[in-house]
Amino acid sequence: MNPRNAVTVRVPAKVNVQLAVGPPRPDGFHDLANVFLAVALHDHVTATPAAPGAGVSLTCEGPGAEQVPLDRTNLAARAAELLAAHHGRPAPDVRLHIAKDIPVAGGMAGGSADAAGALLACDALWGTATPPAALHELAARLGSDVPFSLLGGAALGTGRGERLTPLPVTGTFHWVFALADGGLSTPAVYRECDRLREAAGEAGQAVAEPRPDPAVLDALRAGDAAALAARLPAANDLQPAALSLRPALADTLAAGRAAGALAGLVSGSGPTCAFRAPGAATARVVAERLAASGTCRAARTT
Ligand code: C5P
């Protein structure tokens, strides 16, 4: 592959149509059965060469851009450094620009998407032609959701979510996303999940081993929107924790159902709420009513 002058990668957001969470592991992570579905909300990550010695620099535009860190705590910057180190280049010189459309800190893997985009953009910019298996391994080191962001489509994530099995998916699923003001911290939501289970006497051995729900996998395979909607309300083990930390999300979920959604759930660790709509026209109506309900900052359809 020839090195290029600038590379832009489009990366999707995800929604978890199932998120089964096991007990905490000794390393602090939780084993999951995580059914990821990429949705048509995208960030664009552009990599351009920088002068020798300039290092990695980052700029960001779009909704919520002011909340995105522009130093090396940003997963996209770490992705560029990790890829360079993998190829024996200790100090890469590259400018990364993120055009954001995925909600920031919203439980839709926006930061993971940007890291996956940065890996692919730098790999093409530098002509390093990293094999997919090595890219996957680098992605997993960056974060549990980054491998899925590389893969897209639909996939079952096991382990801490990084071990992926692609899933067949057909049909069209219409979604409405209710965006919240302010994010929720993913580690805090997992901790709250553990705490709630302990308080209910359901911690440790009492927690079921996370397994994929066959009805969710069948619904994706068959493109059966109604069957998928039927499973959503109980699909996310992190939802009670997100609701405990942000009780107002219960009002958002109720407003979505009242607005005509088939079903709703908290997306991942939240605070974005995801609603399934029967079709594109209903999705637009649900989004308008949600936006007018005062229970969210904005609503998006995909
Ligand atoms: O892997 P990632 O950096 O995205 O994870 C962020 C945090 O979310 C972890 O530090 C951990 O607290 C929590 N987490 C977890 N179990 C997982 C994935 C994430 O406990 N499977």
Side-chain angles (χ1 to χ4, degrees), residues 21-295:
V21 179
R25 313 191 310 200
D27 66 1
F29 285 89
H30 298 68
D31 278 324
L32 306 177
N34 194 347
V35 183
F36 293 104
L37 185 64
V39 296
L41 284 177
H42 299 100
D43 283 359
H44 288 80
V45 181
T46 300
T48 43
V56 179
S57 66
L58 204 60
T59 49
C60 186
E61 66 176 317
E66 68 289 346
Q67 298 168 52
V68 175
L70 299 178
D71 57 15
R72 62 183 303 285
T73 63
N74 189 299
L75 271 191
R78 300 216 331 253
E81 288 174 355
L82 194 61
L83 181 72
H86 177 75
H87 291 288
R89 303 179 179 195
D93 300 307
V94 66
R95 281 192 289 142
L96 296 174
H97 181 70
I98 301 169
K100 279 222 84 72
D101 197 30
I102 303 175
V104 176
M108 298 190 72
S112 300
D114 298 344
L119 279 178
L120 292 177
C122 291
D123 194 44
L125 185 71
W126 297 336
T128 35
T130 313
L135 277 179
H136 179 103
E137 198 265 322
L138 296 175
R141 279 162 62 185
L142 289 163
S144 306
D145 286 349
V146 183
F148 176 73
S149 297
L150 272 182
L151 184 70
L156 170 66
T158 55
R160 61 186 168 85
E162 87 286 16
R163 290 209 295 267
L164 296 177
T165 308
L167 294 173
V169 55
T170 58
T172 303
F173 296 94
H174 295 275
W175 293 95
V176 181
F177 293 100
L179 315 185
D181 269 325
L184 273 175
S185 146
T186 302
V189 175
Y190 275 98
R191 274 197 306 275
E192 181 67 0
C193 174
D194 296 337
R195 193 190 68 76
L196 289 174
R197 284 172 168 176
E198 269 166 37
E202 292 167 359
Q205 297 299 319
V207 178
E209 188 191 331
R211 291 183 189 282
D213 177 352
V216 168
L217 305 192
D218 286 348
L220 290 177
R221 193 181 305 115
D224 188 336
L228 183 67
R231 306 303 287 179
L232 289 185
N236 182 0
D237 281 355
L238 291 181
Q239 181 162 313
L243 289 172
S244 168
L245 295 176
R246 191 73 70 82
L249 291 180
D251 300 333
T252 315
L253 291 172
R257 286 190 297 269
L262 295 174
L265 84 172
V266 172
S267 175
S269 58
T272 302
C273 292
F275 299 93
R276 284 270 309 101
T282 317
R284 280 194 297 276
V285 172
V286 170
E288 276 166 25
R289 290 182 181 163
L290 265 169
S293 73
T295 65

